[in-house]
Structure formats: C-alpha cells, structure tokens
Amino acid sequence: MFQVEAENGAVDPWQTGILLAFAYPERIASARPGNNAQFQLANGKIAQIGHRDDLAHESWIAVADIDAREGMGKIWLAAPLNPRDLVPLVKTKEVLRWDRKNGGLIAQAEHRIGAIILGSRPLKNYDRTKVKEAILEAIREDGDLLLNFDEETLQLIHRVNALRKWNQDEKWPNWTVDGLCESAEEWLSPYLNDIQKNEDLKKINLKQLLIHSLDYELQGELEKLVPEKLEVPSGSKIQIQYRSPDEAPLLSVRLQEIFGMLETPKINQGKIPLLIELLSPGYKPVQLTQDLKSFWSNGYFEVKKELKRRYPKHEWPEDPIKAEAVRGVKRKF
C-alpha cells in the first residue's frame, strides 16, 4: 500500500489514491473478476499485484509504480481508491462494433474510464456511416469467417491469379482471401448499407461482386481465357478445377464421355493444357494425363482390361477415338 509519513502523522492512503488518479488517470485500475489480484488499467493493460499485498482485494486502486512488461505487468506500488471519487473522470462513449460471436452489430453507449467499462446501455439512434466502418473493421479481422468464400468464389480467385501469372502484360489483380478482406472498403463497401447480422454478410454474392470489380475489358477476357466449364464430346459441361498457378487446371471426367477427343484441351488461348483426370463409370479416378493421344494408344487398353469386368454394361470400344461419347450406359434398340 502507498503510504506517506507527514509531520502530523501518516497521510490517508485514500487521499493518496485520488491524488494519483487525477495526476495519472491512465493508471487508474479496476479489479478483474475472480480472486486473482489482477487489475485492468485505464490504459488498457493488465497487471497483477502480490496476493499477500493489502491491496490485492481492493476493487479500485491507483498505480504509482508498475513493471510494464509484455503481457501481465507487475504492480509494485499503489494506493486504494473510492469509486465515488472517480465520478468526474467517467466519460460516455458511443460504440458501434460488429460482434461475430453474438451475431451482428452492437450499438451502445459505454460509461468508462479509459479502457475500463463501467456499464453500457443500447443505442437506438446512431450514425449509419459508423455502422459500415464497424463492419469493415470486422471484415479486416475475421472476413474469412464472416464472408461466404464458397468454392465458386475460391475458383474465381484461382482463375484470376492464374491469369496474372500466365499473362503478366495484362493488369490482373493479385487476389487472396486475406488481401480481399483487408481491402474490402475498395470493392465491398457499397454493398454493406443494409447489413445488420452475420447472416446478411453470408448472403453477399462475393463471386459476382469480385467479377464486377475487374476492369470491363478483363471481365470480357475472364471466361474466354479461363472458362469455368468445358464441353466434352458427350455434350456434358464439366467443371474445370483451378488450383495454384503452378499447377495445371484439372478436368475430372468419366472416360466414356471423351471418346473421340484426340487432343488434350487447352485454355488461355491454347497455351495451357489441362490435366485430365479420367474417371471410371463410378466416378473413381483411374488415370491422370496431359497426353490424350498417347493414352488412347496405350493406357486405355490397360484400363479397359481392368474395368470392363466391373462395368460390363458400359461401352469399352476397340477404337475409342472413333467411338461415340456417352454420358452413361448406351441404350440398345
């Protein structure tokens, strides 16, 4: 405890506390919940006093000497405080923040001394522009959880990043989930006006917004250079799986659907061959190739020998290049 000897006896420690509080308001400290001798300071830091110290069980203290180490500080010298004496230091602050765990916007007036919150009440009227600021701040911190980065959106990101590497003379952006969250104000801000809950954020179609954020010319080039799907000889439109720019895009397709396809399909104006993942009629991977011509001449007959017994109703022609591509079992009339 902070105690000073005066000519007429010891100075009242409570008076010492109030003097310290007004001289150094950032060192006012409130006991944290639990019997742990820990205090939160008005400057936002957490510190602990010795458990055997007379002040360990006080609810309010003013700190005179502290070891301001990283994490938990150590209080060496302090004096007790009467909370009634702190009334002149209490300020009311309007706070708008997004609480991901509780599902949305928190708007409240907080009564506080620095970082120490004494109480709060809900705000009915508040500045709508500050709501958007609160949402953007939350997205910068937890956007990967708040926004719906679904598979279609991630595929778009992979497509754009691939074009950025393959066509360096064009102005394709460098997109990552973290980077997009950090720069959300640039491309997402106009669509946040009516957002109130986590569910509202999840409903935003990120894929469409990101496409519209591209220059008009790049929007036109996107589907032409890196299409989402490829039509195969059976007539099916098969999803292309884009991965990192260092990996060839993957086309997973049942073998019978590409009978007659001699050349490995390519994208990006014919510069990038796809990696073909050939599937059994039961959608099980059987082979990877970037050389269909070689597969039809060699690997196909080994695959046919292995799978024909398991899938006898499906087509296994002797000449797959001239055979008709089919989606399932070919009907016999």
Side-chain angles (χ1 to χ4, degrees), residues 90-296:
V90 176
K91 306 294 183 185
T92 299
K93 181 180 180 180
E94 292 189 357
V95 175
L96 291 173
R97 61 185 175 84
W98 194 271
D99 191 325
R100 178 177 63 83
K101 293 182 179 178
N102 289 321
L105 182 70
I106 302 294
Q108 59 189 21
E110 293 180 348
H111 309 298
R112 48 164 74 209
I113 298 175
I116 303 171
I117 299 174
L118 307 174
S120 64
R121 57 178 174 80
L123 275 178
K124 293 183 179 180
N125 299 310
Y126 45 83
D127 187 346
R128 295 298 306 177
T129 60
K130 292 184 178 179
V131 174
K132 188 177 291 188
E133 292 173 9
I135 297 172
L136 288 168
E137 180 60 30
I139 290 172
R140 282 190 284 269
E141 293 182 5
D142 293 315
D144 57 330
L145 301 173
L146 288 168
L147 299 174
N148 185 20
F149 284 96
D150 58 11
E151 186 58 31
E152 285 193 9
T153 303
L154 294 176
Q155 280 294 299
L156 172 64
I157 292 172
H158 289 318
R159 290 163 69 197
V160 168
N161 285 338
L163 286 171
R164 183 172 178 270
K165 179 175 182 179
W166 298 337
N167 304 327
Q168 296 183 12
D169 56 330
E170 298 179 9
K171 296 181 179 180
W172 294 100
N174 182 16
W175 281 349
T176 64
V177 171
D178 288 345
L180 288 168
C181 293
E182 187 65 31
S183 64
E185 186 171 3
E186 299 172 14
W187 61 277
L188 188 58
S189 184
Y191 307 95
L192 300 177
N193 294 327
D194 298 320
I195 301 297
Q196 291 288 335
K197 306 184 296 296
N198 285 346
E199 291 80 1
D200 297 333
L201 286 172
K202 287 292 187 182
K203 290 176 183 177
I204 296 175
N205 189 328
L206 298 184
K207 177 186 173 185
Q208 289 302 315
L209 298 191
L210 286 171
I211 289 175
H212 291 316
S213 75
L214 294 171
D215 292 343
Y216 182 75
E217 290 183 3
L218 294 183
Q219 291 182 40
E221 291 292 300
L222 182 66
E223 187 62 25
K224 187 189 305 181
L225 297 176
V226 284
E228 289 185 87
K229 296 181 180 181
L230 179 79
E231 186 170 348
V232 295
S234 68
S236 295
K237 293 183 178 180
I238 307 297
Q239 190 86 32
I240 300 173
Q241 298 174 47
Y242 292 89
R243 304 176 288 178
S244 78
D246 296 322
E247 297 178 280
L250 184 70
L251 186 76
S252 297
V253 58
R254 288 185 295 176
L255 194 152
Q256 280 78 10
E257 296 210 50
I258 58 169
F259 286 157
M261 180 182 279
L262 182 60
E263 298 294 335
T264 302
K266 298 178 180 180
I267 58 172
N268 193 36
Q269 295 182 326
K271 299 173 188 174
I272 305 295
L274 298 180
L275 179 62
I276 310 297
E277 182 181 49
L278 296 165
L279 306 177
S280 71
Y283 292 93
K284 302 293 185 184
V286 294
Q287 190 150 342
L288 288 170
T289 184
Q290 280 188 302
D291 188 348
L292 274 178
K293 186 183 295 186
S294 174
F295 171 76
W296 293 132

Side-chain angles (χ1 to χ4, degrees), residues 75-88:
I75 298 170
W76 297 111
L77 195 61
L81 280 171
N82 186 332
R84 292 195 190 95
D85 294 333
L86 300 176
V87 172

